[in-house]
Amino acid sequence: MRILVDTTADGPGWRTSIYAAGCRHGCPGCHNPETWPMSAGEELTVDEVFQRLQVTEGGMTFSGGDPLYQAPAFTALARRIKTELYRNIWCYTGFLYEEVEADAQMSQILPYIDVLVDGPFVQTLRDTNLLFRGSSNQRLIDVQASLEAGRPVLLDYNPYPLF
């Protein structure tokens, strides 16, 4: 759909967000409904997206739409980001971690993701005080700790540590 450089809204620090076209969750109150059609935005190959990312700094975020509707392409992109650029990757999805892990195609991305923000946006649970998510049902999952533990492990993130 689009690539947004130097944002602080989709994870900690300065990041580059890659917004995927395509989402079938249809969450009422979604802040990106223009990303729902698979045909939205500009069609790019993984190589074309990667070339654009090489000149950026900071972490990477996959959002959308829902990048896991294009799991093979985002897995290939995540693999290249991790092995060639060594960046932190966050991924937003309307699927639950357990659904991603159980799906043969979607689960292939997990070894390359640092944080998965999971679950659909639920308008009645909207909370503007939450960090990096829109509704209280959504979780910040520490993916690598979760893979090691064999269960979802919530990210212990405190942007304002006491000294």
Side-chain angles (χ1 to χ4, degrees):
M1 178 70 186
R2 69 178 166 268
I3 298 171
L4 181 61
V5 179
D6 291 339
T7 180
T8 58
D10 298 324
W14 293 101
R15 311 185 71 75
T16 297
S17 290
I18 300 97
Y19 291 90
C23 186
R24 296 184 191 108
H25 299 294
C27 303
C30 173
H31 72 285
N32 283 332
E34 70 279 5
T35 66
W36 292 0
M38 289 300 287
S39 61
E42 177 184 5
E43 187 172 326
L44 299 170
T45 67
V46 170
D47 286 337
E48 289 170 326
V49 173
F50 187 75
Q51 291 302 317
R52 292 183 186 188
L53 299 179
Q54 286 184 306
V55 298
T56 66
E57 296 181 13
M60 303 282 175
T61 299
F62 300 160
S63 191
D66 192 324
L68 297 186
Y69 280 109
Q70 299 183 52
F74 274 91
T75 297
L77 181 60
R79 183 182 304 112
R80 289 195 67 187
I81 290 169
K82 278 296 187 186
T83 61
E84 297 178 43
L85 301 178
Y86 310 104
R87 305 283 183 84
N88 172 276
I89 301 174
W90 282 41
C91 181
Y92 284 78
T93 182
F95 295 102
L96 296 176
Y97 174 85
E98 294 85 350
E99 294 172 299
V100 175
E101 187 178 44
D103 185 272
Q105 195 169 55
M106 290 191 295
S107 65
Q108 298 300 306
I109 200 170
L110 293 176
Y112 308 105
I113 300 297
D114 296 289
V115 175
L116 187 76
V117 183
D118 80 337
F121 172 74
V122 177
Q123 196 165 13
T124 58
L125 299 176
R126 182 175 185 256
D127 185 344
T128 58
N129 294 314
L130 295 171
L131 284 173
F132 309 124
R133 55 200 194 275
S135 58
S136 61
N137 63 297
Q138 295 172 312
R139 303 177 293 180
L140 301 177
I141 305 289
D142 182 329
V143 176
Q144 300 313 304
S146 298
L147 291 172
E148 189 173 313
R151 61 175 175 73
V153 175
L154 298 182
L155 179 67
D156 183 18
Y157 181 77
N158 180 2
Y160 309 109
L162 297 175
F163 296 97

